[in-house]
Amino acid sequence: MRKGSRVPFGRTFAVIASGLLASLVGPGAAANASGGHGCECATPSIDRLQHWLASGEGTTVPQTGSLLVRERGGYAAKVAFLNAEWHVVVVWLGNWFEAQADLSKSAGFWMTYSATDDLYVQLRPASQWSGGNKWLTKVPSTGGKRVKKFFGFKPEAWTTLPELGTPGHSFASALTEVRGLVFVGKTPNELDFRGLSIDRYQPPCL
């Protein structure tokens, strides 16, 4: 972030990462895999993604911790953004904080979700994790209806916001070391995620 910015993205995940990392067991190498999606994990997951987390930034319900709730034989990730302020929720693609995924060969991802207002999803690389100055694309409001939408990884589909700052890295380089997808929004919103399937990448169950 630029000096003097009032946006609290610099501490993304500082509050919850330390507590959660102690309980996670995972490989020391980057989590990279390709192919189709298998069955869900033994612990709660959506498309094998086990960590959908509220960061504590912005007023949200829940405020911190997992967004996953039991829903008709599977799981949904649900969160409410309150107030006109920046809110941050995170999905770890490798299912633990230190993992990263090379998505340079991926066409993008399908997401099944509902939202009552627009928001954004950021591509957060491992080497440039902190700060709000990341490449992002708009996640449009669905008016509260559940939809399935494709978000491609073509560079022209991703942009920046002056309020959050300009990335110090290219979009192409970010794709090679993605630690997580970070959903951010500055307006009240009711969000419900039911699917997030990434082309040519299968998250490892931990």
Side-chain angles (χ1 to χ4, degrees):
M1 293 295 295
R2 295 168 299 187
K3 185 176 180 181
S5 173
R6 298 176 62 86
V7 183
F9 288 90
R11 62 181 183 88
T12 298
F13 243 20
V15 176
I16 60 176
S18 59
L20 287 170
L21 286 174
S23 66
L24 295 176
V25 178
N32 290 299
S34 62
H37 288 254
C39 61
E40 291 291 353
C41 301
T43 59
S45 64
I46 298 174
D47 283 327
R48 297 172 63 92
L49 293 166
Q50 296 168 289
H51 294 283
W52 300 68
L53 302 160
S55 72
E57 297 177 72
T59 308
T60 63
V61 179
Q63 184 63 39
T64 60
S66 179
L67 309 181
L68 292 172
V69 295
R70 192 75 166 166
E71 194 78 20
R72 295 184 180 180
Y75 286 89
K78 296 186 178 185
V79 63
F81 291 173
L82 309 179
N83 306 328
E85 58 188 356
W86 284 106
H87 314 82
V88 181
V89 297
V90 181
V91 182
W92 292 347
L93 295 194
N95 285 325
W96 69 303
F97 182 70
E98 295 299 330
Q100 63 189 59
D102 183 351
L103 303 184
S104 59
K105 304 298 185 182
S106 174
F109 61 92
W110 285 97
M111 189 163 70
T112 303
Y113 75 102
S114 65
T116 55
D117 205 348
D118 297 339
L119 67 155
Y120 301 92
V121 60
Q122 295 181 322
L123 201 68
R124 292 272 185 119
S127 65
Q128 303 286 331
W129 174 254
S130 298
N133 56 337
K134 302 295 180 285
W135 295 101
L136 53 77
T137 193
K138 184 177 179 180
V139 178
S141 169
T142 69
K145 297 180 180 179
R146 193 180 307 164
V147 302
K148 184 175 183 179
K149 179 177 172 59
F150 185 71
F151 295 84
F153 285 146
K154 292 183 178 180
E156 58 267 27
W158 294 72
T159 186
T160 63
L161 288 179
E163 183 175 356
L164 302 182
T166 302
H169 56 276
S170 68
F171 179 74
S173 69
L175 274 178
T176 66
E177 51 158 345
V178 185
R179 175 171 287 169
L181 295 176
V182 177
F183 294 90
V184 301
K186 199 178 181 181
T187 58
N189 211 336
E190 295 284 340
L191 297 166
D192 185 331
F193 300 94
R194 300 299 177 97
L196 204 167
S197 177
I198 304 170
D199 174 54
R200 300 178 63 85
Y201 177 71
Q202 179 173 279
C205 290
L206 301 182

